[in-house]
């Protein structure tokens, strides 16, 4: 347990609505990541952060934005949810100088 | 982009050894990882290996790396029913922006009595 929580754990929303997922860590790690998991694709990186207000895009960033105003929180926003964003979303953290990456419990999002 | 390939399924009998294989294409891979995911759960880091090593052993787990062939394997000795899960191979290349992982599609391991 690397002190990572995600909220909500489950969400059902309608197409076109905005959705924000939260990742919270208790150990002040510098790096935070958002991945999505889909059958046949494994996990794919959406966005990541290397410090407060420092973020960058990953492999599948279209339709997503992120913010990190505090070290402990990394928010993922779907501005206008689409059915293709139905997925399980995982947050991860890693320490500066470490090659270990630890994952949160995930958020299952369904867009109807 | 970088590809990481794994076979989808593996079935073994309890007590036997399991070998899960992974191939990757990115020659700049620096660290290679194995994660375990049980149903409805997050990913658990099992072990990882630096690219200048060819083997790492940790209790029942043995990781073998053939860098020339870009082939990684995870051997689980004395496989137990609790080892039933999806196993993901992943790799990263060192960059200035942290440790971005590229994952395989996962191998579902089923352990039968």
């Amino acid at each position: 347990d690397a002190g990572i929580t995600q909220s909500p754990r489950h969400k059902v929303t309608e197409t076109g609505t905005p959705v924000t997922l939260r990742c919270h860590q208790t150990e002040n790690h510098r790096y935070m990541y958002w991945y999505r998991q889909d059958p046949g694709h494994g996990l794919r990186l959406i966005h990541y952060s290397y410090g407060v207000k420092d973020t960058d895009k990953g492999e599948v960033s279209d339709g997503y934005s992120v913010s990190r105003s505090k070290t402990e929180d990394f928010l993922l926003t779907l501005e206008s949810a689409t059915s293709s964003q139905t997925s399980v979303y995982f947050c991860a953290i890693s320490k500066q100088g470490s090659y270990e990456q630890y994952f949160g419990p995930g958020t299952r999002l369904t867009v109807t | 982009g970088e590809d990481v390939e794994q076979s989808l399924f593996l079935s073994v009998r309890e007590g036997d050894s399991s070998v899960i294989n992974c191939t990757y294409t990115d020659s700049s891979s620096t660290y290679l990882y194995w994660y375990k995911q049980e149903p409805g759960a997050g990913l658990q880091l099992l072990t990882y290996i630096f690219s200048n090593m060819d083997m790492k052993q940790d209790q029942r787990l043995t990781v073998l790396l053939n860098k020339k062939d870009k082939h990684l394997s995870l051997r689980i000795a004395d496989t137990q029913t609790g080892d039933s899960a999806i196993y993901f191979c992943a790799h990263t290349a060192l960059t200035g922006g942290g440790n971005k992982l590229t994952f395989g599609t996962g191998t579902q391991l089923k352990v039968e009595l």
Side-chain angles (χ1 to χ4, degrees):
Chain A
D1 183 358
I4 307 168
T5 57
Q6 293 186 232
S7 58
R9 294 293 314 278
H10 301 271
K11 186 169 183 68
V12 180
T13 192
E14 293 184 349
T15 298
T17 60
V19 176
T20 296
L21 309 182
R22 179 182 183 235
C23 177
H24 178 78
Q25 56 141 333
T26 58
E27 300 182 9
N28 291 323
H29 295 304
R30 178 180 177 186
Y31 296 100
M32 299 183 76
Y33 312 81
W34 277 108
Y35 293 86
R36 60 178 288 175
Q37 182 179 22
D38 304 289
H41 290 281
L43 279 79
R44 292 176 292 174
L45 182 66
I46 305 171
H47 281 280
Y48 64 98
S49 170
Y50 44 97
V52 172
K53 295 186 180 168
D54 291 324
T55 65
D56 207 346
K57 296 179 180 180
E59 178 189 354
V60 290
S61 59
D62 286 350
Y64 302 94
S65 62
V66 289
S67 64
R68 193 168 178 201
S69 58
K70 299 185 288 185
T71 300
E72 58 266 36
D73 289 325
F74 192 31
L75 304 181
L76 177 72
T77 298
L78 291 66
E79 301 290 347
S80 177
T82 67
S83 58
S84 65
Q85 293 175 311
T86 292
S87 187
V88 181
Y89 291 86
F90 287 99
C91 173
I93 59 93
S94 60
K95 289 185 202 178
Q96 185 167 3
S98 169
Y99 304 106
E100 299 176 3
Q101 192 165 132
Y102 296 96
F103 284 78
T107 293
R108 183 173 293 276
L109 176 67
T110 302
V111 183
T112 61
Chain B
E2 303 87 8
D3 287 327
V4 181
E5 294 189 357
Q6 301 179 238
S7 53
L8 289 179
F9 299 104
L10 177 65
S11 180
V12 299
R13 289 191 183 274
E14 189 178 38
D16 288 350
S17 292
S18 307
V19 180
I20 303 170
N21 294 301
C22 170
T23 58
Y24 60 97
T25 58
D26 186 358
S27 57
S28 67
S29 297
T30 308
Y31 281 88
L32 298 111
Y33 303 79
W34 285 104
Y35 282 87
K36 176 185 180 182
Q37 186 181 35
E38 298 184 54
L43 275 73
Q44 174 192 353
L45 177 61
L46 288 178
T47 186
Y48 61 98
I49 188 168
F50 187 48
S51 58
N52 69 351
M53 298 169 64
D54 52 18
M55 186 181 90
K56 182 179 180 181
Q57 188 154 3
D58 184 1
Q59 299 182 336
R60 292 191 297 123
L61 305 179
T62 302
V63 178
L64 295 177
L65 174 61
N66 181 327
K67 194 173 181 181
K68 174 176 169 289
D69 294 338
K70 299 189 183 69
H71 182 266
L72 182 74
S73 67
L74 174 69
R75 179 178 180 267
I76 306 172
D78 187 24
T79 311
Q80 303 297 307
T81 55
D83 295 323
S84 292
I86 301 175
Y87 290 80
F88 290 96
C89 164
H91 72 89
T92 189
L94 290 179
T95 68
N99 191 18
K100 295 169 283 185
L101 299 183
T102 299
F103 283 85
T105 52
T107 298
Q108 181 151 10
L109 175 63
K110 181 178 179 182
V111 182
E112 299 175 324
L113 295 172

